[in-house]
Structure formats: structure tokens, C-alpha cells
Amino acid sequence: MTATIDTAVSYRLVADDLIEALKLLKPIITHRYGLEIAERVRIDFSRGKTTVTATNSDLMLTVELRRPAWYVGDDSIVVDYDHLLASVMPGSYVHLEVTDDTVTVIQNVPTETRVELKRYPTEEYLPTPNPPTAKPAFALRERDVVNLREVVMPATDPGDSRPALQCVYFHPYGDYVAMEAADGYRLARTLAPYLYDREMTPFMIPADTLKKLPRRIYAMRFTYEPDADYAMADIQIKATKDRFIHARAFLKVKPGYFPDLNMVIPRDDELTTEIRVHRRIIEEAANAKIGKKLAYLILRPGEVRFELAGAPTRVWEGDQIQFVSLIDGEEPACQEYRINPVFCREMVKAIQDSEIRFRTISPRHAVKVTNFETTFVVMPMVVR
């Protein structure tokens, strides 16, 4: 409960710090009937610390201001996000004059401006979940966060009715933490080295929830307790080259079963053919403007063809493609392999080698591409 205020209390903040925090929270703000809480932010004042929180029921993100408010007492206020952001001008300080019913935004830029906002009951705002008591499970570096966002998350299907295909699955994998996703046509797995707890409980988080996290994440440390509704992530956000913003996220975990991808990923001893293609070819095909048209990337001995409905066929020939048998003493099969070039976009981001090596069993089997930390499996396009 917020104490009754007989007279207005004024909190002084650095305007740029408040604007910075509000912009980081913008992806979480949702305008949806019946979910008014997602249109508002909560500002918490305490000695030596000021935080701004936004939530949409699936994700709660709290950002700590670099310079806390001038301390006049502990309090929490809830206001409309859009109105607050529109009321604060960059530069100088901003004063939040708080009463029981209103929050008045006061600035001198260059003359005094006063904008009165409605103050909503703090008790109606979703409370912050209790931090888990378990030890941290794993951490992600900046590179791991990029792999999560650009390599793994695109392999989910948020529109699928099956929870597992909407989510990224986090679980221990030897000395690493694995991040996995699959959408029925492809799967992606990437490994991160900072596993703190080999006995960590695996969990799933929807990709749509992860997308709302800030873009400039430098590091994340996850903690999760068995059967908890939320996983907690302590986050460092890179504001500038030498300055970081501290934040904490509670991400709602999706209940359900995630399939064992080891049952789908072809074993190395099953593979019969390796197709080596110059990286530039795969990049050009993957980044072509395809839209909703059907496209094929066709791999043949000595030739790669890119076919797109209504467009000229692109052909690469010569030593830019090479078929190699993975069975000693046998020539590589002279067959045609078809894959969707759209599914190669994440490959060229993760595989930095000069050539992409596709490994498979036959034209009707899945194609596997891997390096030390990342594995892709893509289903073939079969022409009937």
C-alpha cells in the first residue's frame, strides 16, 4: 500500500536517464483492451536506487536509472507510459511532483512547463515476482545473445498451436547450455559456454517474449527454479562503449514438453555425402528478395541453381561447389538436392567459414550444417 500524501512530494531525476529507461521498455508496452496494466509503468523510489518497470503479463522488465532520484522517501507511482514519455523533454532535470491522485511533470526547458498525469493505484499493478533462491543456472555473453536472437529464434513458429514450436528451449548440454528451436521444417541449436549448474532444470520461453528484451544486451544471467512460473534474468545493457545499464527481467516460462532434437539430428556415422558450397553463393541465394514466392536452392555436382517463380534462374558452376563422399572408397552419389534458401539465412550468420558444408544421407533426408557451437538441420524440398 502507498502511504497517503497530505502534501505533494517532489522527486528530482535526470531527464535523459528517465527517457533512456522508458525507451528500453517500449517493446513491452501493449495497447490491448482488458490489459490496461501493459500501458503503464511503475517508478519505484528508494534510497540510492530508482527503477522503472513495465509488464505485459508474459514479461516484466525493470530498468535501473543510472542516477537515482534525489531521495525524499520510499514510494511507488504508476502512470501511463505514453503520457509520461511525451511529457519529459531531454536535457536538464525533471521533477515529479506526486500527490495521491496525480503526478505533475515539471521542467525548465527553457521556461517552466507543467504536465499533470493521472496516478493509478499501485496495488493494481502486477507485483514483482520473488527472486528465485536457486543459484544462477547459466549466463549468456554478447555473442551468445546475438546467436539466440539471430540464429535460434528465427527457427520458431509463434503461430503454431504446439507450445514447443513457439519457444526456445534452454537446457544443459555437457559443459554448455544449449538453446534450441524447431518449427517443423528446420531446427537450430547453439551452445553457450557459461553453464554454472549442470543440474539446472530445463525450461522453455516463447520467442515472442524474448523478442521484447532490449537490443543492446551485453550479458544476461539466468536463474530458474523447478516448476516456477518465471525465469529471472539479470541483464547488462550497453548504453555506450564504457557505460552499462542494469536491468532485471522475469520471463514467463511455457509449460510443456520439448522434443529431444538428438532424435532428429542425423548422426555423423549415418551421413554419406558432403556438399561444399562457396559461402558467397549461399549468401546471395539466402538474401535474395523472395517475398511469398516459392524458391529452390538446387545442389548438383558441379552446379548450384537458384530458382524463383517468375524470375530468371541463377546458376553457379565450377569449383565453387564440390561433392565429397563420406564413405571411404565410394564416389559421391550423382544426385540432386533441393533446400529452401530462406532457411540458409541463419546459417551464413553463424557459420563464418569460406564455404558452407551440407551433410546428408540422401536427397529425401534432412541436411545438416554444423560448426563447434551451432547446428542446423533443414528438411529437403521434395518435388513429387
Side-chain angles (χ1 to χ4, degrees):
M1 291 283 294
T2 303
T4 301
I5 301 175
D6 295 325
T7 59
V9 176
S10 182
Y11 295 92
R12 189 179 76 168
L13 298 165
V14 177
D16 290 344
D17 291 353
L18 180 57
I19 293 171
E20 184 177 57
L22 291 172
K23 288 183 176 180
L24 290 172
L25 297 172
K26 183 175 177 59
I28 303 173
I29 301 300
T30 304
H31 299 281
R32 191 193 319 164
Y33 179 76
L35 193 64
E36 288 77 11
I37 189 176
E39 301 176 2
R40 303 165 188 166
V41 291
R42 187 185 70 216
I43 305 177
D44 296 303
F45 303 98
S46 60
R47 187 179 295 277
K49 186 176 182 180
T50 301
T51 60
V52 187
T53 299
T55 184
N56 61 4
S57 75
D58 291 327
L59 169 64
M60 175 176 281
L61 180 63
T62 298
V63 178
E64 182 177 343
L65 269 60
R66 182 161 67 103
R67 289 160 287 198
W70 187 269
Y71 182 71
V72 294
D74 291 359
D75 198 5
S76 296
I77 60 173
V78 176
V79 294
D80 182 273
Y81 172 89
D82 290 335
H83 293 166
L84 178 59
L85 183 60
S87 303
V88 182
M89 301 297 149
S92 74
Y93 291 94
V94 58
H95 294 262
L96 302 182
E97 192 174 87
V98 180
T99 68
D100 284 338
D101 303 315
T102 64
V103 176
T104 303
V105 181
I106 306 171
Q107 274 187 285
N108 293 293
V109 282
T111 59
E112 182 177 281
T113 61
R114 300 175 68 93
V115 180
E116 187 176 287
L117 307 179
K118 180 180 178 180
R119 182 183 183 183
Y120 295 92
T122 308
E123 306 83 50
E124 297 178 3
Y125 201 82
L126 190 69
T128 301
N130 293 323
T133 57
K135 65 180 181 180
F138 63 91
L140 303 180
R141 309 158 300 173
E142 186 175 18
R143 173 184 172 84
D144 304 321
V145 175
V146 171
N147 284 341
L148 169 63
R149 193 184 297 274
E150 296 187 357
V151 176
V152 180
M153 287 166 52
T156 61
D157 184 0
D160 198 283
S161 60
R162 291 165 288 184
L165 302 193
Q166 304 169 10
C167 297
V168 174
Y169 182 53
F170 300 85
H171 69 97
Y173 191 87
D175 294 330
Y176 300 85
V177 59
M179 301 178 285
E180 299 177 345
D183 64 2
Y185 301 98
R186 56 180 165 171
L187 66 85
R189 170 194 285 162
T190 188
L191 305 179
Y194 294 99
L195 177 65
Y196 299 143
D197 182 9
R198 286 192 174 192
E199 304 301 320
M200 66 166 279
T201 302
F203 58 89
M204 296 189 296
I205 297 177
D208 277 352
T209 300
L210 294 166
K211 287 176 184 176
K212 292 179 172 62
L213 290 173
R215 299 290 301 182
R216 305 187 307 273
I217 293 178
Y218 179 74
M220 301 175 68
R221 186 179 64 188
F222 279 86
T223 307
Y224 178 67
E225 288 181 332
D227 301 321
D229 293 330
Y230 292 88
M232 186 182 79
D234 287 312
I235 304 172
Q236 283 187 303
I237 304 165
K238 185 179 288 187
T240 63
K241 182 179 179 180
D242 302 315
R243 183 170 68 84
F244 298 93
I245 300 170
H246 300 285
R248 171 170 286 183
F250 289 90
L251 304 101
K252 196 165 188 178
V253 171
K254 197 83 166 181
Y257 168 77
F258 195 88
D260 182 1
L261 296 189
N262 289 323
M263 303 294 292
V264 181
I265 299 175
R267 301 194 314 270
D268 288 344
D269 60 2
E270 298 176 320
L271 301 170
T272 63
T273 304
E274 180 176 271
I275 307 167
R276 301 173 183 175
V277 185
H278 196 281
R279 175 188 180 82
R280 179 181 55 81
I281 297 176
I282 304 301
E283 284 182 333
E284 289 184 24
N287 295 320
K289 294 182 179 180
I290 296 173
K292 295 184 179 181
K293 296 179 181 179
L294 183 63
Y296 295 94
L297 187 62
I298 305 171
L299 310 177
R300 300 169 177 164
E303 179 184 88
V304 180
R305 300 174 68 88
F306 174 74
E307 295 184 357
L308 177 65
T313 299
R314 180 75 189 275
V315 180
W316 296 270
E317 296 178 318
D319 58 2
Q320 298 181 95
I321 178 170
Q322 184 180 5
F323 276 58
V324 178
S325 174
L326 299 177
I327 302 176
D328 291 340
E330 293 192 12
E331 293 293 324
C334 186
Q335 295 175 312
E336 178 180 283
Y337 298 80
R338 292 175 176 244
I339 58 177
N340 190 332
V342 173
F343 296 160
C344 296
R345 290 173 181 169
E346 289 74 46
M347 290 181 191
V348 295
K349 292 177 182 177
I351 309 295
Q352 299 298 320
D353 302 334
S354 60
E355 59 185 13
I356 307 295
R357 300 191 176 194
F358 300 90
R359 293 186 169 192
T360 186
I361 300 171
S362 77
R364 291 183 175 270
H365 285 81
V367 174
K368 178 180 178 180
V369 178
T370 186
N371 64 6
F372 175 75
E373 64 182 14
T374 305
T375 298
F376 296 96
V377 174
V378 176
M379 297 304 294
M381 300 179 73
V382 179
V383 179
R384 300 185 184 278

